[in-house]
Amino acid sequence: MVYGLGEALKNLNSYCQERTTRIRNSLSPSRPSMSETTIPGTGGSSSSSRASTTIPSTPNMDPTTPTVDDPAPNTNNGMSRDEFRQYGKETVDYIVDYLENIQKRRVVPAIEPGYLKDLIPSEAPNAPESFESVMEDFEKLIMPGITHWQHPRFHAYFPAGNSFPSIIADMLSDAIGCVGFSWAACPAMTELELIMLDWFGKMIGLPAEFLPLTENGKGGGVIQSSASECNFVTLLAARFEIMKELRQRFPFVEEGLLLSKLIAYCSKEAHSSVEKACMIGMVKLRILETDSKFRLRGETLRNAIQEDRNLGLIPFFVSTTLGTTSCCSFDVLSEIGPICKENELWLHVDAAYSGSAFICPEFRPLMNGIEYAMSFNTNPNKWLLINFDCSTMWVRDRFKLTQALVVDPLYLQHSWMDKSIDYRHWGIPLSRRFRSLKLWFVIRMYGIDGLQKYIREHVRLAKKMEAMLRGDAKFEIVNEVIMGLVCFRMKGDDETNQTLLTRLNASGRIHMVPASLGDRFVIRFCVCAENATDKDIEVAYEIISQAAQHVLHDSVKAVIAEEDEEAVALEEMVADLNIQETPDKGLARQNSADAVGQRLERQLSKEEILAQKQHESLAKKRYLPEPLELSRASDTPDGPCSPEILVS
Ligand SMILES: Cc1ncc(COP(=O)(O)O)c(C=O)c1O
């Protein structure tokens, strides 16, 4: 059939209409619901379906704003809007079911490195795949390789903040999808970040000089991705400041030489990111000893500064920690601060984990001396129910930070630069996510009261675990339990403790990680789950205690086996000696009293050794007390007593 042009256009139009109708139909609600049919292992959609919340509709648009007639195309590529509506809701159900049933899963996966390579095709698909099939593989292939940080038996590292308000805020941030490197790039993002850093700074009791909205203040706050980044940028700021001064004082000295003289300080317990910062920043770092409570003290710092100055070095930066990673110890800021001031050193305070606890006034004495600090950071994404990433950082003088980081190409400049903050000058990446949104949601929806309750409950539970372990003769506590971290070990050697931890982690029932404290292997138990309960702590203690009992039992068995081997070898040796001695024995009885005495003595000592061995084996088997003094039996008329009599 031959068409004219008009006819062809008519056909094309009707084809397009028909195709649109077909696609619409295929997206109608009669499609099977994912939760009913596809996501495995979740028990379907949540039973607790709540009445839908009324989310306010978009405020009226400015009538002068030009609008397009049609919304953006409801594309079927990847996922259409209608599909997103449906799958998004079902995914929320999946998330709730996952978190509700998380305790049924192993805490750590039972897989080995490389497990996924053979399960996933080696090439990416050319043709689109359905959401159902991706989700099915997610549950089948990905979940078995997940370490479940939100599991009630997850006690490793520090908590990974997580809460529903935070997840929702992140969803919104993802949907807005802005890249707010400057005020102009997303005004609300910059402004909310400022306000949140002001709120949160006040909540933890930071001095007003740090707060962004203090009138005529020089301070400021910013959200970085990680505490490591905070440690690094503050080091860069401190380095810039000292180099500026040195360049002025020694204009003819090569910059590389000046740099080689700089030295920073931190304690043995500081996080490894401080070492990394110095490595990248190309400055020397001196790692200082701590006291018996794993704290850096003023005197240690003062001596180190003096020694280094005598060597011609230039001390410029001290990184202290409030809540160290290994054992949650607190460097003594009130001693360190004045020394930094005297010596004009930049004092940084890394409170990655414990900083959030300062929302409870009773913990604030731990940061006495903060008034000497130039910068401070804490991670609400650790202990304030905010999902990763959200590392808040404050500086006493924002210009000292930004001078080290400003690079200002024309294409990033805008007309509001004199009136606003551009956060791209406060960190390393240009692009930034809308992270303040989750702080805003969480702080508002829990309230300061709710957040204080959460922190206090974790501390209470950690103290409960401490008390349970202290009440058990198998264990000793190694740190001062101040926050939610308990460091303990079995009484015994490092190997025993390593065995215990390996067994516990391999069991899949609980997860903890080790630390080295005072050169001893310790096990860290951190309260992590948002809604951890007394029962959780009791169950965790039972698991640990039972595993320790098994380790003891096994080591006793191993010792007994070893001892038995030794005893057999010894018996054989004795038998050999006896064979060699037999002719002498007869003679000895007929000879002088001295000679008899000597022989008895020799024979007795062999038997004594055997008796001792037997006793030790028994003692270990039955936890008998230390052996009694062996009585010398050479005075008995019939010669030596039997070993049994000797040990009784
Ligand atoms: C005291 C301290 N500083 C820094 C870090 C590193 O944190 P991030 O993973 O946010 O870089 C940690 C991590 O636990 C920490 O405990």
Side-chain angles (χ1 to χ4, degrees), residues 158 226-228 231 271 273 321 323 325 350 352 379 382:
F158 282 134
S226 67
S228 308
N231 287 334
H271 189 260
S273 57
T321 318
T325 320
D350 175 6
N379 286 24
K382 283 188 165 61

Side-chain angles (χ1 to χ4, degrees), residues 244-434:
K244 193 169 71 176
E245 190 194 320
L246 292 176
R247 264 190 246 111
Q248 277 167 8
R249 280 176 54 194
F250 308 102
F252 303 112
V253 178
E254 210 206 318
E255 203 157 301
L257 184 59
L258 294 175
L259 196 64
S260 73
K261 300 284 176 196
L262 300 186
I263 184 156
Y265 301 91
C266 70
S267 95
K268 221 171 143 181
E269 302 306 332
H271 189 260
S272 59
S273 57
V274 178
E275 194 176 338
K276 194 186 247 187
C278 291
M279 194 173 83
I280 308 171
M282 297 206 296
V283 294
K284 293 183 179 60
L285 173 69
R286 182 159 170 188
I287 299 175
L288 302 172
E289 284 299 325
T290 52
D291 68 6
S292 61
K293 290 183 172 175
F294 310 105
R295 308 175 298 177
L296 177 61
R297 304 298 299 262
E299 201 50 29
T300 312
L301 177 66
R302 188 192 294 284
N303 293 340
I305 292 171
Q306 196 50 55
E307 279 169 22
D308 292 336
R309 284 206 197 287
N310 293 344
L311 290 172
L313 295 173
I314 305 171
F316 78 107
F317 180 75
V318 181
S319 188
T320 54
T321 318
L322 295 184
T324 56
T325 320
S326 52
C327 63
C328 202
S329 58
F330 291 76
D331 290 342
V332 187
L333 275 194
S334 55
E335 292 176 4
I336 295 167
I339 295 168
C340 290
K341 190 173 175 201
E342 266 167 47
N343 289 277
E344 296 180 3
L345 311 188
W346 182 298
L347 171 60
H348 176 63
V349 179
D350 175 6
Y353 162 67
S354 71
S356 297
F358 298 139
I359 63 169
C360 304
E362 66 269 29
F363 294 123
R364 289 194 201 146
L366 290 164
M367 62 169 179
N368 282 349
I370 187 70
E371 60 278 12
Y372 295 99
M374 288 297 288
S375 46
F376 176 93
N377 72 275
T378 186
N379 286 24
N381 68 252
K382 283 188 165 61
W383 205 15
L384 207 70
L385 299 168
I386 312 278
N387 286 70
F388 184 78
D389 57 341
C390 185
S391 261
T392 45
M393 174 186 138
W394 293 262
V395 280
R396 177 181 293 277
D397 185 337
R398 60 180 177 272
F399 304 104
K400 288 198 169 141
L401 172 66
T402 54
Q403 69 180 356
L405 299 165
V406 169
V407 183
D408 220 4
L410 190 61
Y411 53 82
L412 295 176
Q413 294 175 12
H414 56 88
S415 51
W416 298 100
M417 278 167 48
D418 54 337
K419 290 205 173 74
S420 62
I421 271 190
D422 281 352
Y423 272 126
R424 70 196 149 100
H425 301 313
W426 293 58
I428 296 162
L430 174 68
S431 302
R432 319 184 72 248
R433 287 160 44 75
F434 201 163

Side-chain angles (χ1 to χ4, degrees), residues 344-547:
E344 296 180 3
L345 311 188
W346 182 298
L347 171 60
H348 176 63
V349 179
D350 175 6
Y353 162 67
S354 71
S356 297
F358 298 139
I359 63 169
C360 304
E362 66 269 29
F363 294 123
R364 289 194 201 146
L366 290 164
M367 62 169 179
N368 282 349
I370 187 70
E371 60 278 12
Y372 295 99
M374 288 297 288
S375 46
F376 176 93
N377 72 275
T378 186
N379 286 24
N381 68 252
K382 283 188 165 61
W383 205 15
L384 207 70
L385 299 168
I386 312 278
N387 286 70
F388 184 78
D389 57 341
C390 185
S391 261
T392 45
M393 174 186 138
W394 293 262
V395 280
R396 177 181 293 277
D397 185 337
R398 60 180 177 272
F399 304 104
K400 288 198 169 141
L401 172 66
T402 54
Q403 69 180 356
L405 299 165
V406 169
V407 183
D408 220 4
L410 190 61
Y411 53 82
L412 295 176
Q413 294 175 12
H414 56 88
S415 51
W416 298 100
M417 278 167 48
D418 54 337
K419 290 205 173 74
S420 62
I421 271 190
D422 281 352
Y423 272 126
R424 70 196 149 100
H425 301 313
W426 293 58
I428 296 162
L430 174 68
S431 302
R432 319 184 72 248
R433 287 160 44 75
F434 201 163
R435 290 174 291 213
S436 54
L437 208 53
K438 50 193 168 188
L439 259 179
W440 193 47
F441 271 57
V442 168
I443 294 173
R444 289 185 63 187
M445 296 190 71
Y446 283 81
I448 297 176
D449 287 349
L451 294 171
Q452 286 173 334
K453 199 167 149 226
Y454 157 76
I455 296 276
R456 287 178 180 136
E457 184 62 359
H458 274 203
V459 176
R460 184 185 72 77
L461 292 172
K463 290 199 183 290
K464 177 178 175 117
M465 179 54 109
E466 179 194 9
M468 293 179 91
L469 290 167
R470 278 195 196 280
D472 184 329
K474 294 192 289 301
F475 300 106
E476 59 181 312
I477 299 291
V478 187
N479 70 332
E480 191 182 4
V481 179
I482 299 172
M483 300 282 173
L485 180 67
V486 184
C487 295
F488 69 95
R489 51 182 274 129
M490 272 175 81
K491 290 174 187 163
D493 56 16
D494 283 357
E495 209 183 319
T496 308
N497 281 283
Q498 274 161 2
T499 307
L500 172 65
L501 184 61
T502 306
R503 283 197 187 182
L504 285 165
N505 285 335
S507 76
R509 299 177 67 203
I510 194 166
H511 187 37
M512 292 178 291
V513 290
S516 173
L517 281 182
D519 291 333
R520 293 199 304 166
F521 183 95
V522 304
I523 301 175
R524 294 170 76 267
F525 176 94
C526 190
V527 180
C528 290
E530 176 184 355
N531 297 311
T533 60
D534 284 280
K535 178 93 180 128
D536 287 325
I537 300 303
E538 285 153 19
V539 170
Y541 165 74
E542 273 310 315
I543 294 172
I544 295 168
S545 181
Q546 276 176 23

Side-chain angles (χ1 to χ4, degrees), residues 16-62:
C16 289
Q17 271 167 12
E18 182 197 293
R19 186 169 186 275
T20 311
T21 317
R22 185 158 40 86
I23 291 170
R24 282 221 178 103
N25 287 344
S26 77
L27 298 174
S28 73
S30 63
R31 287 190 82 172
S33 145
M34 183 182 76
S35 57
E36 283 161 25
T37 56
T38 55
I39 299 185
T42 66
S45 61
S46 167
S47 51
S48 55
S49 62
R50 287 207 273 152
S52 67
T53 316
T54 314
I55 295 175
S57 58
T58 313
N60 287 340
M61 305 284 292
D62 175 354

Side-chain angles (χ1 to χ4, degrees), residues 95 99 162-172 387 438 442:
I95 290 169
L99 292 171
N162 193 3
S163 64
F164 294 131
S166 173
I167 295 174
I168 287 180
D170 254 355
M171 281 166 70
L172 293 171
N387 286 70
K438 50 193 168 188
V442 168

